Amino acid sequence: MCGIVGYIGHRDAYPIIIKGLERLEYRGYDSAGVVLFDGEDSHIAKTKGKVEDLKQKSELTIPLRGKLGLGHTRWATHGIPNDINSHPHYSNSGDLVIIHNGIIENYASIKKELIKRGYSFESDTDTEVLINLIEEVKKKEGVKLGKAVQIALNQVVGAYAIAVFDKNKPDEIVVARLGSPLAIGIGENEYFIASDASPFIEYTNNAIYLEDEEMAIVRIGKEIKMRKIKDDAIAYPNILELQMNLEEIEKGGYDHFMLKEIYEQPRAILDTYRGRLRSDQGIIKMDGIDQNLEKIMNANRIIIVACGTSWHAGLVAEYIFEDLARIPVEVEYASEFRYRNPVITDKDVLIAISQSGETADTLAAIKLAKERGAFVFGVCNVVGSSIARETHAGAYTHAGPEIGVASTKAFTTQITVLTLIALKLAKEKGMLSKSKFHEYLTELEGVPAKVEKSLESNELVEQIAEVYKDAENCLYLGRGYNFPVALEGALKLKEISYIHAEGYPAAEMKHGPIALIDEQMPVVVIATRKGHYEKVVSNIQEIKSRSGKIIAVVTEGDKTVKELADHVVEVPEISESLTPLLTTIPLQLLSYHIAVMRGCNVDQPRNLAKSVTVE
């Protein structure tokens, strides 16, 4: 949510800022802005709407020169989306400029005090309050900008990632973070600032990810100075070499990032288990598990916390862990877990799942669990992210950058990692024979090829989408391992096509949803031969008798469901615990094609952000 881009160095800042904002559009936003310093003065352009609107406005209203600049895409929190509330914001004097991702919770009381001191405000934002607080501190204390930022941030409550500069000292930018991600790219006599590395990956592979409550001053021709915001202690930068490449964040010939990422799943799953799964040796090698095996094996229970699609992956994991490893599992929404005073002990293991590794509620759940003595294991996709740093141990999914807001390859790679963990624990606990364990390893190795096979249904799914693109409601049903897939399928449809959809356990249909079924209601049923097949067939018959339209995802060669359903999409045969990796594919394609046919913005659906970094 919100995107930050900044540059200071020897290049023209404007092209870097604009291209960087375009690469951060996936984060979700409703307005955009840019500020440039041309050597004499700073110039701002900002507007409600898209980055393309900002480009048009900038070219008409401000000089596009300068070696220092900041850019921002805003997700409205305080103040409606409009030109005035868009970032950047000036201080009252016009000397200081800020961009900000996050929420200042005590902004109202600070604003009231600043008004008493003669400050006025143009916008309704908490961000304009913050920049004027920094100015007041700088003026009152007689300190430099960096120190003023530090003092001001010790007076605010909330979450932030900020970048600030003073037009009277345009050789430096001050940045800070608490709860919202911020990265600094290190080039040759130049620095880049961004919410993630995608805006500067073509210029440098070296980056620093600020920790919570850290700030930094970047100056042309000088080393970065970093400090702790709370106690002024020196912080030492940890420079990471980025593994991302430019090709990964371009569409590569696909119409949308979402479609590209759907088709990347065979490779993403392979990359996720590569080096970890060795079927020829009959082993699973995962350092984060191997080094903490006894602690995890002796846990009273596993608590999984996540949000959105990651929560659905956690539900699949609950089935796998309990079925194969016989370990009790509870799956919690991170947003609820952190507020309900949960019972957590030092005998619990908490697994936190997040694609971005920056989800605010999940991070808060991690901190709560750590305070109460639980061992915390992270599953995320982004190297160097906050969750990767906050957890005791973890595993990356290696899905590569996921730009589309609707998660696809994140879901399947999360399930892959969690399956590897469950299989390893099951073997160590003696729950699987050597032959059965080897059989699972071989099957998991074969998943990428079977996902490729599932993707061959794309043309058929597109034809089905044409039939149901104007539906107003849709029901998704699944049992066992495929109940979470039904939830995920429904989520995909509603978040990118804006069709109301609900996922249910198939047996729960008779407890309410069956009242909705008529000839206008499409019902997507996951009916693979593995897992309660006959009962799902009975559910299909109940739908058919009420004139419901049935789209069935079935195992290759199925004949029974084919006679009942209006449309059938086949996936290859596979063990029940691995079916979610295949059955989710046609549901992703169905949502994608319906959304495209309805003229929706597939990669940037309305009101949604890729990474929810504030509450």
Side-chain angles (χ1 to χ4, degrees):
M1 297 174 73
C2 298
I4 283 176
V5 182
Y7 176 77
I8 186 168
H10 54 84
R11 306 175 198 262
D12 288 333
Y14 179 74
I16 296 169
I17 300 295
I18 289 296
K19 188 181 290 185
L21 291 178
E22 289 173 338
R23 290 184 181 159
L24 293 178
E25 285 187 295
Y26 74 91
R27 295 176 68 85
Y29 69 106
D30 45 52
S31 55
V34 62
V35 59
L36 301 169
F37 187 82
D38 64 6
E40 297 180 0
D41 206 351
S42 58
H43 305 276
I44 281 181
K46 52 186 185 174
T47 184
K48 177 183 176 182
K50 295 296 184 182
V51 173
E52 185 58 38
D53 301 317
L54 175 64
K55 287 169 65 177
Q56 293 175 18
K57 186 170 185 177
S58 300
E59 290 164 8
L60 291 172
T61 59
I62 63 171
L64 304 181
R65 59 181 181 270
K67 310 300 183 184
L68 180 154
L70 302 175
H72 191 265
T73 52
R74 176 180 185 251
W75 176 279
T77 52
H78 297 94
I80 63 171
N82 61 25
D83 293 6
I84 293 173
N85 288 330
S86 304
H87 299 202
H89 287 289
Y90 279 123
S91 63
N92 270 196
S93 70
D95 290 342
L96 307 186
V97 189
I98 191 172
I99 53 177
H100 166 222
N101 176 13
I103 295 176
I104 305 303
E105 295 176 9
N106 61 337
Y107 85 102
S109 59
I110 296 171
K111 184 175 184 178
K112 188 175 180 180
E113 180 62 30
L114 288 172
I115 290 171
K116 286 181 183 177
R117 299 185 187 189
Y119 287 83
S120 60
F121 297 88
E122 292 185 359
S123 76
D124 300 315
T125 67
D126 53 343
T127 304
E128 191 184 8
V129 173
L130 178 57
I131 192 61
N132 280 302
L133 175 62
I134 293 168
E135 178 160 278
E136 172 66 8
V137 170
K138 186 173 183 292
K139 182 170 60 177
K140 185 178 178 181
E141 302 290 337
V143 294
K144 294 179 181 178
L145 178 61
K147 190 64 177 178
V149 169
Q150 181 186 10
I151 294 170
L153 291 178
N154 275 301
Q155 297 178 31
V156 303
V157 176
Y160 52 78
I162 62 169
V164 186
F165 78 84
D166 182 346
K167 70 178 187 180
N168 297 310
K169 195 175 181 185
D171 64 339
E172 71 175 27
I173 300 174
V174 178
V175 297
R177 75 154 283 185
L178 173 62
S180 294
L182 199 63
I184 303 171
I186 304 168
E188 194 73 34
N189 200 30
E190 61 183 347
Y191 292 105
F192 306 83
I193 297 157
S195 297
D196 64 44
S198 61
F200 56 74
I201 191 63
E202 65 199 88
Y203 302 104
T204 179
N205 287 323
N206 296 318
I208 296 168
Y209 289 88
L210 291 188
E211 301 280 356
D212 268 352
E213 299 186 338
E214 283 185 350
M215 61 177 291
I217 301 173
V218 295
R219 294 191 181 98
I220 297 174
K222 296 185 179 179
E223 290 187 355
I224 294 173
K225 288 179 64 177
M226 291 178 57
R227 307 199 78 84
K228 296 289 186 180
I229 294 168
K230 289 292 185 188
D231 59 12
D232 201 36
I234 294 173
Y236 296 97
N238 178 25
I239 301 174
L240 298 176
E241 185 175 349
L242 302 172
Q243 302 302 312
M244 187 190 307
N245 61 61
L246 187 59
E247 185 179 305
E248 289 181 314
I249 58 173
E250 301 293 347
K251 288 182 185 174
Y254 289 90
D255 290 337
H256 299 91
F257 281 111
M258 182 180 178
L259 186 62
K260 173 177 178 273
E261 288 155 8
I262 289 171
Y263 273 86
E264 284 177 340
Q265 286 174 109
R267 179 201 56 78
I269 292 169
L270 175 61
D271 286 347
T272 295
Y273 71 62
R274 191 197 307 273
R276 293 167 166 165
L277 191 164
R278 303 173 187 175
S279 64
D280 57 332
Q281 300 174 40
I283 61 171
I284 291 173
K285 177 71 175 171
M286 300 181 76
D287 288 344
I289 299 296
D290 291 334
Q291 293 168 12
N292 300 282
L293 190 58
E294 186 175 346
K295 192 170 292 186
I296 299 170
M297 292 271 288
N298 293 328
N300 287 343
R301 59 176 176 162
I302 291 173
I303 305 167
I304 296 176
V305 294
C307 300
T309 288
S310 296
W311 185 75
H312 297 155
L315 290 176
V316 175
E318 180 179 21
Y319 284 92
I320 298 171
F321 277 101
E322 293 194 343
D323 186 12
L324 301 184
R326 306 305 296 157
I327 299 174
V329 176
E330 296 176 14
V331 184
E332 301 266 6
Y333 282 114
S335 54
E336 288 296 312
F337 181 80
R338 62 181 293 197
Y339 288 117
R340 66 170 184 79
N341 193 23
V343 177
I344 312 169
T345 75
D346 58 4
K347 296 294 185 183
D348 293 326
V349 168
L350 184 132
I351 298 178
I353 312 172
S354 166
Q355 189 282 136
S356 67
E358 301 293 348
T359 309
D361 287 320
T362 307
L363 278 164
I366 288 169
K367 290 174 183 177
L368 175 62
K370 285 171 71 177
E371 287 169 4
R372 300 191 182 180
F375 176 76
V376 181
F377 189 92
V379 174
C380 66
N381 187 38
V382 180
V383 175
S385 60
S386 296
I387 285 177
R389 298 194 302 271
E390 285 286 344
T391 49
H392 296 116
Y396 289 115
T397 55
H398 301 304
E402 188 178 67
I403 307 300
V405 167
S407 281
T408 51
K409 61 180 181 175
F411 181 63
T412 48
T413 53
Q414 286 167 354
I415 291 173
T416 301
V417 161
L418 294 161
T419 300
L420 287 170
I421 296 170
L423 286 170
K424 185 173 183 65
L425 294 177
K427 179 176 181 290
E428 295 294 334
K429 292 185 70 174
M431 297 296 174
L432 289 177
S433 66
K434 187 175 180 179
S435 61
K436 190 65 178 175
F437 180 69
H438 189 269
E439 184 182 317
Y440 270 115
L441 298 192
T442 303
E443 273 209 287
L444 194 51
E445 276 189 330
V447 165
K450 291 186 176 183
V451 172
E452 288 274 14
K453 181 74 173 171
S454 300
L455 286 166
E456 292 176 8
S457 67
N458 181 52
E459 189 174 330
L460 171 60
V461 173
E462 188 173 3
Q463 293 168 6
I464 297 169
E466 182 67 42
V467 177
Y468 297 105
K469 68 181 189 299
D470 297 319
E472 294 182 357
N473 299 283
C474 190
L475 196 61
Y476 285 71
L477 302 177
R479 293 185 86 129
Y481 282 92
N482 283 301
F483 160 51
V485 176
L487 293 174
E488 175 63 11
L491 176 61
K492 286 283 122 1
L493 186 67
K494 58 189 163 190
E495 67 183 345
I496 64 169
S497 75
Y498 318 140
I499 294 173
H500 175 254
E502 295 294 336
Y504 276 90
E508 286 295 304
M509 181 182 66
K510 294 190 288 292
H511 295 272
I514 198 168
L516 299 172
I517 293 172
D518 59 19
E519 64 277 0
Q520 302 300 319
M521 171 68 85
V523 183
V524 179
V525 185
I526 305 160
T528 54
R529 272 199 293 265
K530 300 294 175 67
H532 314 293
Y533 177 73
E534 293 79 9
K535 293 186 181 297
V536 175
V537 170
S538 296
N539 295 136
I540 292 173
Q541 289 169 330
E542 290 168 342
I543 298 165
K544 193 68 177 174
S545 67
R546 289 160 178 81
S547 303
K549 302 298 182 184
I550 300 165
I551 305 164
V553 178
V554 302
T555 305
E556 208 168 31
D558 182 285
K559 294 180 180 177
T560 304
V561 175
K562 191 172 287 189
E563 293 177 358
L564 296 169
D566 296 274
H567 312 275
V568 169
V569 182
E570 295 184 345
V571 296
E573 180 97 29
I574 201 165
S575 290
E576 183 184 3
S577 60
L578 300 178
T579 54
L581 293 167
L582 306 185
T583 54
T584 193
I585 303 300
L587 305 190
Q588 293 171 352
L589 291 170
L590 180 66
S591 300
Y592 170 78
H593 288 301
I594 287 177
V596 170
M597 290 172 186
R598 289 168 66 91
C600 300
N601 189 335
V602 173
D603 287 332
Q604 298 164 38
R606 68 189 183 204
N607 303 330
L608 293 178
K610 182 67 177 172
S611 178
V612 183
T613 57
V614 295
E615 290 185 57

